[in-house]
Every structure is written in C-alpha cells, then in structure tokens.
C-alpha cells in the first residue's frame, strides 16, 4: 500500500484545528478529499443522532412503534426500512421494556446499509468477520427470516460475549459465534456464499460519537490498512467462486477505503459491483450516497470505484461510512 | 457442540409437556430448528436453525463459542430455562405464568421482588417454592421467579431468579 497521504495544513486551518481540538493534518486531508469542509467540520461537532432498527424476529414493528410512542418517545421513519430516528426520548431508548424484549436494537443509519448491500438470502452460508456487538448480524438474521447460517467472528472475548447476549436478546437461532480471530475461519473448510467485512478502522466517520478521534494520528493508519488488507485476502479465500463480499468501514481515509478496494481488485481479482438499486436510489437528508473516489492526489483507481459509496455526516445526517460490494471471480 | 441425542430429546420433551402437549415438536416445526447441546454438566441447550445446524455438522474442526438461541440447561432429568427459553415457551403456552401490572413489571426488571399487590393473575398450579414465568403481557415473558407465598398474597410474593433487565446490567 502507498504511504499515508499527507496534505500540508494552511496556517488558518492549523489555527482553526487548534481551537476546536482537531488534528490539522486530518482536517487538511478531509478538505482535499471531500466537498464542503466547513459543513463537514460543523457536522462532526454536533451530538450524534440516535437511530433504532426494528427487529422483525421479535414482534410486530408497528406495535413496537406504537408502544414507544405511548411512552413519550418521538420517532421518525427514515428512508431505510425498519430504521427510525429517535428525535426525543423521555428516558434512554436503550432501557425500555421493548428493547429488553429484543423488539429493536440501536444501530446507526449508515451502519444498517452494509447488510442491505449484501442482500443475504435464506439458506445461504454467510460470514460476519468482525461482528461484535452484533447489530449487523441481527440485521442479517432479520433479512433472512432467521433461515440462513450466519457465522459471526470477533476475537475479543468480552465483545464476543456481548455479541452472544445481543443475539439471544433478539431471538436469533441462525447465528454461531466464534470468539476468535476471523483468520481461524479457514479451519472451517467452508465456502461462504456471502461475507460482511466491517473492518476495524481509524473511525474518522464516528468523531461525533468519539471525540478522541478528532486527534487521530496518521502514523496509526498504516497498521489499520495492513489489517484490512489481510482481512480482504482472507475474505477472498473464504468465499466460494462467485461469492459476494461487502467491505465496510466507518472511516473517511482513502487509504482504508478506495486504496484497499483497488488493491483487492488487482491482487485477488475481485470485481466491484454496483450497489443494489435500493441503495443507488436512496436519499438520506435528500441526497444520494456520495460515490467512491476514483482519484486521490496522484493516485488513480479503477473507474468502477465510483460504484462504491460514502455516507458523509454533513451530507446525510448520520455517521460516516464507506461501502463497497465485491464479487469473487467464478473461475 | 452436537445435536441432542434421542434420549436427551425425550427428557427435554417431557419437561416441556408441562407447558402443552408436544410443545417441543411444534417449536421445532415453527422455527425450522433443532436442539443442540454440549457435553458439560449441566448441559446447555440451544435452539439452532436447520441451516446453521447443517453448517455446524460440516465444521467439526472449529467449534463455536455459542450457536443458536440459548434455551436453558439440562441437569439430569430437569431443564432449567433461560430468559429466552422462558420467552419462547411463554409465546406458546399459558401455563406457569404470573401476570403483573406496570409497577410490578418495572420493579421486576430491576431485579426486585414482586409484591402480591402487583399480581393481576396467576397459574392456579403455582405453589410456594415453584418457579413461574413473570409477564406483563401474556405472550412476553420478562423472566423467572420463585413463589414465596400463596398467590397473590400481600407483600413480597415472587423472588426474581432471572429478569430481562439482566441484558442492561450485564448482558452487553
């Protein structure tokens, strides 16, 4: 992989960054890669929005909405099915009886797009390689009517325990949890139909939720990128010929997004596919998803990278996210 | 992990008969699932979707930490139900339930005793020392409790054994 791209910050940008607690190098990069830097920085300083995703495996969705509304929660349907913005809450939305019954789980809107991009089907063998705490695994179970085989990996024992607990709470019978690195999945000797890889990353897109990430150090990005490359190579080995991978991150760094996808296509023969029509036609805050970058500074990527997508906080009203849908060659 | 043996299944089915005839078979059909367990004492029981079961059978080289829905534990001839086991039974059976009002449900979910004044109705077969399913709505079991005195009683009548508030306190 190329070295991390460094954009020299201007004096004005340094001054602003210092005042607001951001790394000037990060801010300079965002300004070079994405539109409307002031808007992005403003959005990153706002409290994060809260979304819930209804769980079709546990009760009628309309009944859940009715019960929450009766309790004083103000909910607004989002353009993504089963996902609602929590506009106001008389007490924590994560402490209701309905939450404890598994009728919904808390998941950011952008995060919910990854399982939708995968289009999982009943009867398939599906891998979730970095699964904890389990929101996407639960969503995959819902999308497949709990009739697929979901193998969920997380190498942190405490996070794997939380993953198991969340799956139980939401009534999932179709998931197996492996408290081990996804690299161990090769020992299964199986060929997956689909894989979701929500890769560990630098998390620039979730600054609203974790302000510490305002001070992200570029020197750490190479380690993230190395791990992501390893996981992409693993996913290629695990997939059956013609199998489908959705690669996702919550970062804005092209080294962890477009660079990774371009390399995966070159090294492993993945083909980047268009996202499903629902996502291509989706409008968040009235705007389509932002296309993947086909050029960053002096680096040109496969033209098909435009079919990848970014969710950007200032354009879409939710946390930052990146999605790419990749097909393993048939032969 | 492995599927339960026919002998184990018979014991489990006999335990579930207390909640309705042939409940286990109906359960397996409705969920298109089967029971799995581990060799341990007590034995954990899991309801595993058929497709997942097929994958687990093909992958004996790497065992999962957990699979399917944890229903409880088999200890000799007795099944001790988990929160989800109680919930799934409660969806299909009226037996063994105590319905409580809003206040009782709220206290119960904090792990507090339920007072007799909070009890709306109870299974006539509930006796002191027996374990009952606590619910506010008939098909949504909130947990399990031990009967402390003849129901409904006055004052502390049900002692929580497991409540869904656990998911907030410790579940993750």
């Amino acid at each position: 992989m190329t070295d991390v791209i460094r954009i020299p910050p201007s004096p004005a940008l340094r001054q602003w960054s210092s005042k607001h607690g951001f790394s000037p190098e990060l801010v300079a990069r965002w300004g070079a890669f994405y539109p409307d830097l002031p808007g992005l920085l403003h959005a990153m300083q706002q409290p994060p929005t809260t979304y819930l995703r209804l769980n079709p495996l546990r009760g009628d969705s309309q009944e859940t909405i009715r019960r929450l509304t009766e309790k004083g929660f103000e909910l607004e349907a989002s353009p993504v099915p089963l996902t609602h913005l929590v506009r106001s809450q008389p007490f924590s939305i994560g402490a209701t009886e309905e939450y404890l019954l598994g009728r919904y789980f808390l998941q950011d809107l952008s995060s919910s797009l990854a399982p939708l991009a995968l289009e999982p089907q009943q009867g398939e063998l599906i891998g979730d390689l970095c699964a904890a705490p389990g929101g996407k695994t639960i969503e995959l179970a819902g999308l497949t009517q709990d009739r697929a085989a979901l193998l969920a990996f997380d190498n942190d024992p405490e996070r794997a325990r939380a993953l198991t607990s969340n799956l139980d709470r939401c009534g999932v019978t179709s998931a197996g949890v492996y408290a081990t690195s996804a690299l161990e999945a090769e020992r299964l000797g199986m060929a997956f139909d689909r894989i979701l890889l929500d890769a560990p990353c630098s998390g620039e897109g979730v600054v609203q939720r974790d302000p510490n990430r305002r001070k992200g150090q570029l020197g750490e990005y190479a380690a993230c990128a190395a791990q992501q490359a390893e996981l992409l190579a693993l996913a290629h080995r695990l997939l059956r010929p013609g199998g489908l991978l959705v690669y996702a991150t919550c970062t804005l760094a092209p080294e962890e997004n477009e660079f990774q996808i371009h390399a995966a296509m070159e090294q492993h023969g993945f083909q980047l596919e268009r996202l499903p029509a629902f996502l291509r036609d989706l409008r968040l805050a009235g705007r389509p998803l932002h296309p993947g970058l086909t050029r960053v500074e002096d680096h040109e990527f496969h033209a098909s990278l435009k079919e990848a997508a970014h969710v950007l906080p200032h354009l879409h009203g939710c946390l930052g996210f990146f999605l790419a849908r990749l097909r393993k060659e048939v032969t | 992990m492995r599927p339960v043996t026919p002998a184990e299944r018979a014991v489990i089915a006999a335990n579930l008969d207390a909640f309705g005839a042939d409940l286990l078979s109906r359960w397996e059909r409705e969920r298109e699932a089967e029971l799995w367990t581990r060799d341990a004492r007590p034995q954990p029981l899991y309801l595993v979707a058929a497709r997942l079961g097929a994958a687990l059978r093909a992958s004996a080289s790497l065992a999962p930490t957990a699979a399917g829905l944890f229903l409880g534990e088999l200890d000799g001839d007795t099944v001790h139900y988990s929160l989800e086991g109680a919930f799934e039974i409660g969806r299909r059976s009226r037996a063994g339930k105590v319905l409580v009002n809003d206040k009782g449900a709220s206290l119960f979910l904090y792990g507090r005793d339920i007072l007799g004044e909070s009890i709306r109705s109870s299974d006539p077969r509930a006796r002191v020392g027996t374990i009952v399913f606590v619910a506010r709505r008939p098909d949504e079991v909130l947990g399990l409790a031990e009967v402390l005195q003849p129901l409904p009683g006055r004052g502390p009548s049900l002692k929580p054994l497991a409540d869904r508030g656990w998911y907030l306190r410790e579940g993750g």
Side-chain angles (χ1 to χ4, degrees):
Chain A
M1 196 210 74
T2 187
D3 290 336
V4 173
I5 296 169
R6 296 181 185 270
I7 310 287
S10 68
L13 205 148
R14 282 192 180 279
Q15 187 177 31
W16 184 94
S17 301
S18 175
K19 180 179 178 182
H20 294 277
F22 282 81
S23 158
E25 287 76 22
L26 289 188
V27 174
R29 281 163 48 94
W30 296 334
F33 304 150
Y34 300 107
D36 188 13
L37 179 63
L40 176 60
L41 295 174
H42 175 77
M44 284 182 166
Q45 296 176 82
Q46 305 308 307
T49 45
T50 301
Y51 287 90
L52 64 83
R53 183 172 175 86
L54 297 161
N55 177 19
L57 302 181
R58 276 283 166 93
D60 177 75
S61 295
Q62 291 308 310
E63 170 68 10
T64 303
I65 296 299
R66 184 190 67 76
R67 286 160 57 164
L68 291 174
T69 302
E70 278 184 358
K71 290 180 177 177
F73 292 91
E74 187 181 343
L75 305 175
E76 179 181 313
S78 83
V80 179
L82 299 180
T83 303
H84 291 253
L85 172 67
V86 182
R87 284 211 167 277
S88 69
Q89 37 190 316
F91 56 94
S92 171
I93 190 71
T96 68
E97 185 176 304
E98 288 73 23
Y99 175 84
L100 296 175
L101 288 165
R103 296 183 76 103
Y104 63 91
F105 50 95
L106 302 182
Q107 182 187 44
D108 193 72
L109 182 66
S110 54
S111 184
S112 73
L113 302 183
L116 293 171
L118 192 62
E119 294 187 294
Q121 304 295 315
Q122 292 186 30
E124 288 186 331
L125 179 63
I126 301 169
D128 189 351
L129 299 190
C130 303
K136 296 184 196 65
T137 322
I138 295 165
E139 185 179 351
L140 288 169
L143 291 171
T144 55
Q145 294 78 47
D146 210 20
R147 288 185 166 84
L150 308 174
L151 303 189
F153 296 82
D154 202 281
N155 62 355
D156 182 308
E158 196 54 33
R159 286 171 58 85
R161 192 186 69 79
L163 166 61
T164 302
S165 172
N166 285 324
L167 289 167
D168 272 349
R169 179 175 59 78
C170 291
V172 176
T173 67
S174 59
V177 174
Y178 296 81
T180 183
S181 165
L183 295 172
E184 293 291 312
E186 290 191 274
R187 291 174 51 195
L188 293 168
M190 295 181 177
F192 287 78
D193 296 298
R194 297 177 204 250
I195 287 176
L196 176 59
L197 172 53
D198 183 6
C201 67
S202 57
E204 290 177 338
V206 298
V207 162
Q208 290 168 268
R209 184 170 290 165
D210 181 6
N212 287 330
R213 295 183 189 268
R214 296 184 182 189
K215 292 285 202 180
Q217 299 299 311
L218 292 180
E220 297 169 356
Y221 285 25
C224 286
Q227 185 182 28
Q228 290 150 0
E230 188 176 22
L231 289 168
L232 279 163
L234 169 69
H236 185 265
R237 295 194 300 273
L238 292 175
L239 280 170
R240 64 165 173 79
L244 191 69
L245 166 69
V246 165
Y247 175 84
T249 73
C250 59
T251 186
L252 308 178
E255 294 87 347
E256 300 177 68
N257 295 329
E258 284 86 354
F259 277 99
Q260 293 292 350
I261 300 305
H262 180 87
M265 295 170 71
E266 294 276 298
Q267 293 167 16
H268 306 301
F270 275 118
Q271 294 295 311
L272 188 68
E273 288 193 344
R274 302 178 79 189
L275 293 175
F278 165 73
L279 291 176
R280 297 199 309 271
D281 296 338
L282 183 65
R283 297 294 180 265
L284 299 180
R287 299 183 183 89
L289 302 183
H290 191 74
L293 308 175
T294 54
R295 181 187 177 89
V296 172
E297 298 294 291
D298 297 333
H299 303 276
E300 295 246 9
F301 304 124
H302 280 278
S304 60
L305 253 298
K306 67 178 174 18
E307 302 297 347
H310 287 274
V311 178
L312 297 173
H314 60 315
L315 299 184
H316 303 117
C318 49
L319 298 177
F321 214 70
F322 173 78
L323 287 170
R325 179 173 150 128
L326 297 162
R327 179 80 62 180
K328 178 174 176 175
E329 71 281 5
V330 174
T331 55
Chain B
M1 288 185 73
R2 59 171 176 80
V4 297
T5 64
E8 289 165 341
R9 190 181 181 289
V11 171
I12 298 163
N15 273 256
L16 288 172
D17 276 349
F19 300 100
D22 210 26
L23 181 64
L24 179 56
S25 296
R26 284 191 285 127
W27 202 352
E28 289 169 326
R29 278 197 307 275
E30 286 168 17
R31 297 301 298 265
E32 294 181 25
E34 52 192 344
L35 290 181
W36 281 60
T37 187
R38 251 185 237 283
D39 290 319
R41 291 206 67 176
Q43 291 175 248
L45 299 175
Y46 304 93
L47 188 65
V48 173
R51 182 60 183 92
L52 177 62
L56 295 179
R57 284 184 177 87
S59 65
S61 57
L62 183 65
T65 309
L69 189 64
F70 176 55
L71 297 180
E73 294 176 328
L74 178 61
D75 191 0
D77 290 334
T78 303
V79 176
H80 301 287
Y81 301 105
S82 69
L83 286 171
E84 299 310 323
F87 182 90
E88 292 291 328
I89 292 169
R91 283 173 124 174
R92 295 166 176 81
S93 173
R94 296 180 184 176
K97 279 183 192 163
V98 175
L99 296 185
V100 300
N101 61 18
D102 291 354
K103 181 176 180 180
S106 294
L107 288 172
F108 179 67
L109 290 174
Y110 276 97
R112 306 283 296 275
D113 287 356
I114 294 175
L115 305 180
E117 293 84 348
S118 297
I119 294 174
R120 290 161 42 211
S121 67
S122 60
D123 188 322
R125 293 168 291 181
R127 300 282 182 267
V128 174
T130 61
I131 297 173
V132 294
F133 295 158
V134 176
R136 191 161 65 86
R137 292 184 170 83
D139 60 345
E140 291 182 345
V141 171
L142 300 175
L144 302 95
E146 179 184 349
V147 179
L148 297 176
Q149 60 170 310
L151 299 180
R154 292 187 64 82
S157 293
L158 297 173
K159 175 184 173 184
L161 297 175
D163 67 89
R164 294 190 77 93
W166 177 88
Y167 284 117
L168 277 183
R169 296 191 298 271
E170 295 184 47

